[in-house]
C-alpha cells in the first residue's frame, strides 16, 4: 500500500516533494499557511543539478517555455565595471552536465510545480493551515493547525522554511535553536527589459563584486524581464522575521555605498526595490538534523543557507527527489528506514553547499589584499574557478 504523507509547507520544496512522492504512487497532502497557494520574491538560478531533477519530475518542456537560458556568466568589478572572469553557460553547460543552466522567476517555478501537483490529483491541497503542532507515534503522525483543525497520516515532511515548526520535533540537539541572523540584507527589483535603455538590458548572468557587497542581474520570464539583486552587509531596521519589506534606492545606496557608474545606472533604472534580511543555520553535522523515524525535513527547514551559491531552491528540489527515491513504492512500514536512508544520503551534500555558500560570501565581499588576490586569480583561471563540477554534476 502507498504511504500517506503530510507535507507542511506549500512553497517550492513542499510542492516538489509532493510531486515526487505522487510520481511513486504515494498520497501527499500539502498544507499551506497562506490563504492561497503562491510565491513571492524574484529570480532563481537553476544549475544543471537542479534542472536535471526537474526533468525527472516531468517539467522539462514547461521550464523551457518560461525560463531564460543565459549564454554566459560574467563577473565584474562593482567599482570600475571591468570584467574579472567569465563562465560559458548555454550549450557548454548542456554538453558538460547533460542539463541546462536556467534563470526563472520564483512565481513561475512555483506555478509549474503547483499545476503538476494538481494534475496528479493524488493528494489534498489545503490552504489557510498554519501548522503549530506535530504529534508522532510508532505508526501514525498527526498535525494540527492554529484554527483547531487536525489531519492524520503515516509520515510528515517539514517543508515549512526557515522558522520551521516541524523541525522542533526532530531528535537532534539543534532542533530548537533559532536561525542565525547574518547581518546581510538583500535588495531586489524586477523590470521589463523593453522598459530599460538598451545598454542596461541583459541576456546573461552578470555579477558585480565590491567590498562588503555584490550585485547580480539576469533575465527571467523567457528573457522578457530583468531580475536584479544587491546584497550588502547591512541589516535594515525591523523584525528579522519580516521576509520582504518595501525599500528605496536611497536606502540601498546608503547601505551599499556608491558603486561604479555602470552599476549605478542599472540600480537607478530599476523600479520598486524591496529588501529582506538574510538568515541561515550552521552547516549540518549529522543525518539526525534531517530525519527521525516518521519525520523528515526538506529545504530551508533543514538547511537554510545564504544565497552566495544560488542553491537554496536547488537543494530543496534535490531533497524532494531524493526523499521519493529513498521511499520508492514502500508503504507505511518502510517509512522510518526510508527516511533514515534519505537523511544519510543528503546531509553531507547539503552541509557542503551551506559551507561553500558562506565561504563564497567572504570571497565576494572581500576588500584589501584578499580582493586583489581574488581578482588576479579569477582573471588568470576564469572558468576553472567559476565552474562547479562537484555541484552541477552531483
Amino acid at each position: 500500500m502507498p504511504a500517506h504523507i503530510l507535507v507542511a509547507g506549500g512553497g517550492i520544496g513542499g510542492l516538489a516533494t509532493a510531486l515526487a512522492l505522487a510520481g511513486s504512487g504515494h498520497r501527499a497532502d500539502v498544507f499551506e499557511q497562506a490563504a492561497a497557494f503562491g510565491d513571492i520574491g524574484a529570480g532563481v538560478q537553476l544549475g544543471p543539478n537542479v534542472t536535471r531533477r526537474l526533468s525527472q519530475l516531468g517539467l522539462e518542456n514547461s521550464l523551457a517555455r518560461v525560463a531564460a537560458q543565459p549564454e554566459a556568466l560574467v563577473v565584474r568589478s562593482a567599482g570600475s565595471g571591468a570584467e574579472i572572469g567569465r563562465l560559458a553557460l548555454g550549450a557548454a553547460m548542456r554538453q558538460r552536465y547533460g542539463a541546462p543552466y536556467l534563470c526563472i522567476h520564483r512565481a513561475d517555478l512555483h506555478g509549474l510545480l503547483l499545476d503538476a501537483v494538481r494534475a496528479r490529483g493524488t493528494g489534498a491541497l489545503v490552504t489557510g493551515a498554519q501548522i503549530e503542532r506535530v504529534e508522532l507515534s510508532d505508526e501514525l503522525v498527526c498535525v494540527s493547525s492554529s484554527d483547531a483543525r487536525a489531519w492524520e497520516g503515516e509520515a510528515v515532511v517539514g517543508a515549512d522554511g526557515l522558522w520551521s515548526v516541524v523541525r522542533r520535533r526532530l531528535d537532534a540537539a539543534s532542533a530548537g535553536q533559532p536561525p542565525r541572523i547574518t547581518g546581510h540584507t538583500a535588495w531586489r527589483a524586477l523590470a521589463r527589459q523593453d522598459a530599460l535603455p538598451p545598454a542596461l538590458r541583459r541576456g546573461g548572468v552578470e555579477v558585480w563584486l565590491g567590498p562588503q557587497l555584490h550585485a547580480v542581474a539576469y533575465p527571467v520570464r523567457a528573457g522578457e524581464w530583468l531580475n536584479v539583486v544587491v546584497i550588502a552587509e547591512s541589516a535594515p531596521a525591523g523584525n528579522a522575521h519580516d521576509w520582504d519589506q518595501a525599500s528605496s534606492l536611497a536606502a540601498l545606496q546608503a547601505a551599499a555605498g556608491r558603486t561604479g557608474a555602470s552599476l549605478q545606472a542599472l540600480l537607478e533604472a530599476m523600479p520598486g526595490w524591496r529588501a529582506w534580511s538574510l538568515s541561515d543555520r550552521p552547516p549540518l553535522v549529522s543525518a539526525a538534523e534531517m530525519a527521525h523515524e516518521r519525520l523528515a525535513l526538506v529545504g530551508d527547514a533543514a538547511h537554510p543557507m545564504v544565497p552566495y551559491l544560488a542553491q537554496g531552491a536547488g537543494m530543496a528540489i534535490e531533497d524532494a527527489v531524493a526523499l521519493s527515491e529513498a521511499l520508492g513504492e514502500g508503504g507505511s512500514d518502510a517509512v522510518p528506514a526510508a527516511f533514515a536512508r534519505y537523511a544519510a544520503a543528503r546531509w553531507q551534500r547539503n552541509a557542503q553547499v551551506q559551507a561553500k555558500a558562506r565561504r563564497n560570501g567572504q570571497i565576494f565581499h572581500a576588500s584589501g589584499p584578499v580582493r586583489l588576490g581574488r581578482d588576479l586569480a579569477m582573471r588568470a583561471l576564469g572558468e576553472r574557478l567559476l565552474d562547479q563540477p562537484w555541484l552541477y554534476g552531483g
Side-chain angles (χ1 to χ4, degrees):
M1 288 287 291
H4 179 194
I5 300 173
L6 311 180
V7 180
I12 288 171
L15 291 177
T17 300
L19 181 58
L21 289 168
S24 297
H26 302 289
R27 174 179 172 179
D29 297 339
V30 181
F31 302 90
E32 168 56 39
Q33 67 177 349
F37 282 93
D39 206 338
I40 55 178
V44 179
Q45 296 181 68
L46 302 175
N49 58 305
V50 189
T51 57
R52 189 180 307 117
R53 268 68 173 196
L54 291 171
S55 293
Q56 285 181 248
L57 296 177
L59 298 179
E60 183 174 5
N61 293 335
S62 301
L63 277 173
R65 288 193 291 270
V66 300
Q69 184 170 322
E71 289 300 317
L73 181 152
V74 179
V75 182
R76 300 184 182 278
S77 163
S80 68
E83 182 174 322
I84 302 171
R86 178 181 291 261
L87 173 66
L89 301 175
M93 282 280 145
R94 283 185 176 273
Q95 182 176 4
R96 192 172 301 153
Y97 299 112
Y101 191 109
L102 301 178
C103 299
I104 191 170
H105 193 289
R106 286 188 68 94
D108 293 342
L109 176 57
H110 187 272
L112 293 181
L113 290 165
L114 181 59
D115 288 346
V117 170
R118 283 175 170 156
R120 287 280 186 180
T122 57
L125 294 170
V126 184
T127 56
Q130 183 172 353
I131 302 302
E132 65 174 18
R133 191 175 180 85
V134 179
E135 298 295 330
L136 307 172
S137 70
D138 289 342
E139 297 182 353
L140 294 173
V141 301
C142 179
V143 300
S144 53
S145 63
S146 57
D147 57 358
R149 290 179 290 166
W151 300 267
E152 197 172 72
E154 294 162 341
V156 60
V157 175
D160 48 343
L162 179 68
W163 304 94
S164 172
V165 172
V166 178
R167 180 188 177 91
R168 299 174 195 163
R169 291 306 313 272
L170 266 185
D171 185 25
S174 64
Q177 297 299 313
R180 177 188 74 129
I181 309 303
T182 66
H184 295 198
T185 301
W187 281 263
R188 57 92 172 162
L190 280 164
R192 287 193 62 91
Q193 297 257 35
D194 58 14
L196 297 172
L200 298 181
R201 299 171 191 173
R202 298 290 187 274
V205 180
E206 294 206 25
V207 181
W208 293 264
L209 305 182
Q212 297 184 304
L213 73 102
H214 79 285
V216 186
Y218 53 84
V220 294
R221 296 193 157 156
E224 295 180 359
W225 289 72
L226 185 67
N227 176 75
V228 180
V229 179
V230 181
I231 302 180
E233 296 180 20
S234 174
N239 190 333
H241 287 69
D242 292 342
W243 187 86
D244 203 5
Q245 46 194 311
S247 188
S248 65
L249 176 63
L252 167 56
Q253 290 175 326
R258 297 294 297 182
T259 55
S262 61
L263 180 55
Q264 277 297 318
L266 179 61
L267 302 186
E268 291 167 4
M270 298 298 292
W273 287 98
R274 301 188 70 83
W276 69 97
S277 43
L278 302 180
S279 300
D280 69 355
R281 291 184 183 275
L284 297 168
V285 297
S286 74
E289 293 181 275
M290 289 196 67
H292 177 69
E293 297 295 340
R294 294 183 176 272
L295 182 155
L297 302 179
V298 300
D300 284 353
H303 44 74
M305 58 189 68
V306 286
Y308 302 132
L309 204 55
Q311 285 287 329
M315 289 301 104
I317 292 166
E318 282 195 12
D319 286 347
V321 174
L323 182 69
S324 173
E325 289 176 344
L327 184 56
E329 297 180 356
S332 175
D333 291 346
V335 166
F339 279 10
R341 287 194 300 273
Y342 155 73
R346 289 296 302 163
W347 79 267
Q348 288 175 305
R349 178 165 170 85
N350 284 319
Q352 184 179 19
V353 175
Q354 286 178 289
K356 293 273 190 180
R358 282 189 173 186
R359 177 61 176 159
N360 269 10
Q362 296 171 352
I363 295 170
F364 287 2
H365 295 186
S367 58
V370 176
R371 177 181 65 84
L372 294 175
R374 176 202 67 199
D375 292 357
L376 286 171
M378 198 170 292
R379 287 190 176 100
L381 298 175
E383 292 201 358
R384 290 177 59 187
L385 286 182
L386 293 171
D387 198 6
Q388 306 286 334
W390 67 272
L391 176 62
Y392 298 148

